[in-house]
Every structure is written in structure tokens, then in C-alpha cells.
Amino acid sequence: MPKISSDTLWEQAAAEVHSRETDGGEEDGGETVSERTVFLMGSKAGGKTSILLRCLDRDEPSKPTLALEYTFGRRARGHNTPKDIAHLWELGGGTSLSDLVQIPITPVSIRSLSVILVLDLSKPNALWGTMEKLLQAAQAQLEKVSSQAQQAQKAKPGAKHQTPVHSAARVLPKDYPDRELISPFPVPLLIIGSKYDVFQEFDSDKRKVVSKTLRFVAHYFAASLIFTSIKSESLMSKTKSFFSHLAFGLDRGKTVSSDSTKPLIIPAGSDSFSQIGSPPSTDVDITSLHAKNPKDLWKKVYERVFPQENTSEQRELKDPAKDPQYSEPQIDAMRAQKDQELEQYKRNAAKSWKGLELDT
């Protein structure tokens, strides 16, 4: 009987574990714990934390997100079975802290990563700029770590037997609508339009522009799209289904609503460019816009209706150490003492430099 090398056994075991992790979130009954990562980003003060807490059924007040925050969710598939885990990262500060995407997007997390982009519907003049900058930052990091992981695997001996690393290109079904015309985001993407309760009071023509534009963007990136409001139990229930689909592999439901007079609910793959139609331009000749591609054309039309605010937001100037909601009396007292000592050191240093005669 031929002897099987331990290397081969380890490779087989590693492949089996990866296979179970990949499939485990989709079906019940497996004993292997599935771990997924969900990265939330979006409009500053757009309701990301509130939406996340509601999706996790956590009854607690939301606080402003400081830079980048981590939490997790767990769900048991059945009685006496291991609980699946969702690692949840939330980026604060709108677009000002987009450099921090490198923390949640890593060669390890990319294998089971999905992204949620929350856009504040009540502020359409900042919507396109926020969406564009954050998606570009995330996509650049996804492509970077995918390339690094592939190069690292090639450098390892016996790499041809290893489980392939995640590629920075999603493979869509052959019957996916407009498959040859779109540019799929590298990982599953959900776009949430928040504060629908405010948005629904907008002029109907403006609502139509926002709705059609976000339908185009979502379909272009092969993303799902849903409008929601934390003041609506029905919309939050549907939002939670989309979230649970990404976090735990649950069914996201079959509801589809593409009527611009109602909240949009469009799972990835259920829309098409023919259904969306052309950009809603009433007072501008589209041919005069000199667009480089369809996405650029939609951007120019959208910005004619909603001139974009400057999204290069200044980084938060508030010092978290002085924020009352994070007060710690003992630590704050020690910090104040150290600050005083530092100031005294600076004054003494300044005096010594002034009294120093330098040779010339």
C-alpha cells in the first residue's frame, strides 16, 4: 500500500475546511461554523449604526461612530448546533476616513467579505460624491489584497495544490442581465438608501432622479438596492433580510419593487438597463454632456439636478478624549496631569533653547 505523505493529508484537510466554510453559510445542517465579514460604510450621520443595531436586534441607543468600530453577530442554525459568526466593521466620518478601509479588507477577510454602502437619501447633493469616493477606496483595497494574496500563494512551494485565493473579480451567472455591459463590484454589495421618511416628502421629479440613478448604479455594480427608514418596521424587516443574507447566508426574500413612488427593493440580478431606461433629463441635451461612458453620463445628469457638495470633508477635529460620552474619571485625571507635565516640559525646553548661545 503506497504511503500517503503528511503534506498531502494536510492539503486535503485544508481544502475540506475551506469547502465547508464556503458552503456552510448557504445551507443548514453542517456542523462547521461559518464566519463571514460585513463592512459598512456610507454617508456621515446617515444612520449606519442605527440600521446595524436594528438588524442585530439590539435595543440600545446609537452613538456617533469614532473612525472604525468592530462588533459581531452570531446565529445558531438549529438546536444544539454551532453558531455562525458575522464580523461587522463600521466606518465613521463619511468619506474623510476612507483610508481605513485597509483594516477590515484583508487577504483573510476577502474570502467571505461583503460590503454595505449606506447613502443618506435626505441629502442628495452629497450622495454621488460619497458613493463614488467610498466605492473607489474599497475597490482599490480589494484589488490590492487580492493581488497580494495571489502573489504570496505563487511564491509558496506546492502552491498548485492549495485552495485558490479569492479573486478581485466576481463571476456572475451567464444569464445575469446585461452581463457584458456592467462592472461587478469585486465582492457582494448592498446599497441602502437611508432616511426614506424624509426623502418621500421630496418633489416627485427629484425623487425619480435619485431613484433611477441609484437603480443604475446598483445594477452597474451588480449590487442589491433597498430604501429604508428606522421609523418603518416593514422597511427595517426587509432591510434585515438583506443584511442577514450577507452576514449569515439566509434567504433575502423575493420582494421586488422598482416603482419610484415607493421604496425601492431590488435584489441583485432582478433589474436591467432596459427596465431602468435612460437618464431622467428634462432640461438638458444628453448628447451635449461629453460623457466618457454610461456611468459618467448618469453622473453628469445627476449633478445637473443635484450639484454636488465638496465631499473632501475635513477630518474630525473633535478630540474624543474630551467628549463627555467617553469620560473615565480616573483616566481623565491622569491625562490632565500628564498634559500639565507636558506643557511644563515645553516651557522649560523653550527657555533653555532661548538661553543657549550658539557658536557662529
Side-chain angles (χ1 to χ4, degrees):
M1 180 177 177
K3 183 181 178 182
I4 301 177
S5 73
S6 59
D7 285 347
T8 305
L9 288 174
W10 278 115
E11 287 160 8
Q12 290 176 349
E16 176 67 16
V17 168
H18 179 73
S19 174
R20 289 183 182 180
E21 286 179 346
T22 304
D23 299 333
E26 298 296 333
E27 300 176 10
D28 288 345
E31 290 298 317
T32 306
V33 173
S34 168
E35 292 192 35
R36 296 170 183 243
T37 301
V38 181
F39 176 36
L40 284 87
M41 57 184 186
S43 304
K44 186 176 181 180
K48 297 182 294 295
T49 304
S50 298
I51 290 171
L52 179 58
L53 290 173
R54 291 285 290 276
C55 288
L56 293 173
D57 293 323
R58 292 184 187 169
D59 186 15
E60 57 187 83
S62 62
K63 295 180 180 179
T65 302
L66 275 181
L68 183 70
E69 295 190 4
Y70 169 84
T71 187
F72 65 91
R74 295 194 297 175
R75 177 187 176 276
R77 291 179 225 166
H79 186 60
N80 288 335
T81 59
K83 289 185 176 180
D84 292 338
I85 301 170
H87 302 284
L88 309 169
W89 293 89
E90 182 188 347
L91 179 69
T95 60
S96 64
L97 299 171
S98 57
D99 291 350
L100 295 179
V101 299
Q102 60 188 304
I103 296 174
I105 302 177
T106 66
V108 174
S109 71
I110 195 175
R111 296 174 186 166
S112 59
L113 178 73
S114 53
V115 171
I116 296 178
L117 176 67
V118 179
L119 298 174
D120 187 344
L121 296 175
S122 72
K123 297 178 180 176
N125 294 84
L127 188 148
W128 187 283
T130 297
M131 176 272 298
E132 189 170 55
K133 181 165 184 179
L134 289 175
L135 288 185
Q136 283 176 350
Q139 185 155 0
Q141 177 66 9
L142 284 163
E143 291 170 354
K144 178 181 175 182
V145 298
S146 175
S147 175
Q148 288 174 342
Q150 288 173 344
Q151 288 174 1
Q153 190 180 60
K154 288 177 183 177
K156 290 180 182 177
K160 63 182 181 180
H161 298 298
Q162 296 174 2
T163 306
V165 297
H166 195 291
S167 169
R170 255 162 83 205
V171 179
L172 300 178
K174 290 185 178 180
D175 60 349
Y176 198 94
D178 306 309
R179 187 171 182 265
E180 303 302 321
L181 303 174
I182 62 178
S183 179
F185 198 68
V187 298
L189 172 65
L190 168 62
I191 299 175
I192 297 178
S194 65
K195 303 187 181 180
Y196 181 78
D197 53 303
V198 179
F199 177 71
Q200 67 181 343
E201 303 299 327
F202 283 19
D203 173 78
S204 62
D205 287 339
K206 290 189 174 182
R207 284 205 316 270
K208 186 175 182 181
V209 172
V210 174
S211 296
K212 287 192 73 172
T213 300
L214 285 181
R215 281 181 65 187
F216 169 83
V217 169
H219 184 54
Y220 181 79
F221 287 116
S224 294
L225 173 66
I226 185 168
F227 285 1
T228 195
S229 166
I230 58 171
K231 296 181 179 179
S232 168
E233 289 297 331
S234 172
L235 288 177
M236 280 310 305
S237 175
K238 291 179 174 66
T239 304
K240 183 179 177 181
S241 294
F242 277 78
F243 169 82
S244 298
H245 174 71
L246 297 179
F248 302 111
L250 303 184
D251 184 15
R252 66 188 170 196
K254 309 212 182 299
T255 304
V256 178
S257 173
S258 56
D259 185 346
S260 63
T261 64
K262 299 175 182 177
L264 297 181
I265 305 171
I266 307 178
S270 57
D271 212 345
S272 67
F273 288 142
S274 61
Q275 289 175 289
I276 297 169
S278 59
S281 57
T282 53
D283 58 348
V284 59
D285 179 10
I286 290 180
T287 59
S288 68
L289 292 179
H290 306 294
K292 294 176 287 187
N293 51 54
K295 181 164 157 280
D296 192 43
L297 175 63
W298 279 81
K299 176 182 179 180
K300 289 181 183 299
V301 172
Y302 184 84
E303 291 182 341
R304 284 289 182 96
V305 182
F306 299 107
Q308 293 296 283
E309 299 169 354
N310 183 13
T311 57
S312 57
E313 303 162 4
Q314 292 184 345
R315 292 180 182 270
E316 289 290 331
L317 298 178
K318 286 197 306 183
D319 184 353
K322 296 174 183 175
D323 191 326
Q325 71 172 321
Y326 302 109
S327 63
E328 292 283 353
Q330 290 180 320
I331 296 175
D332 293 342
M334 181 62 72
R335 171 68 184 266
Q337 179 185 332
K338 293 298 181 185
D339 285 344
Q340 288 179 353
E341 292 174 2
L342 178 60
E343 288 304 315
Q344 184 62 45
Y345 172 80
K346 287 179 179 176
R347 286 194 291 271
N348 292 340
K351 288 178 185 175
S352 63
W353 277 105
K354 285 177 184 175
L356 195 63
E357 293 184 9
L358 299 175
D359 293 332
T360 56

